[in-house]
Amino acid sequence: DLLKVESLTFDGGLEIYQMIVPEWDGEDEMFDIHSIKGIEYLTSLKAVNYISMIDEELLKEIESRGIETER
């Protein structure tokens, strides 16, 4: 299924986080992205949308792979 992933969205307000940890209030870094190790397996990835949860340095690394980033 990794071959089907064309975009990712990083936003602490998404419902999925409440499904994983129902009591999570979004006030800590529990789901923050600290590494993009393994991103090479997402061979169809074209875009990363971000609201929060990822550092600028990681975004630059993603862009250097030819993947579009947008806020």
Side-chain angles (χ1 to χ4, degrees), residues 30-48:
M30 180 181 292
F31 294 106
D32 284 8
I33 309 303
H34 299 287
S35 169
I36 61 166
K37 182 179 178 183
I39 198 169
E40 64 274 10
Y41 298 114
L42 300 173
T43 57
S44 298
L45 186 63
K46 296 178 179 119
V48 171

Side-chain angles (χ1 to χ4, degrees), residues 3-16:
L3 299 176
K4 298 176 185 177
V5 177
E6 294 184 2
S7 67
L8 293 174
T9 299
F10 301 119
D11 179 358
L14 295 175
E15 184 180 348
I16 187 68

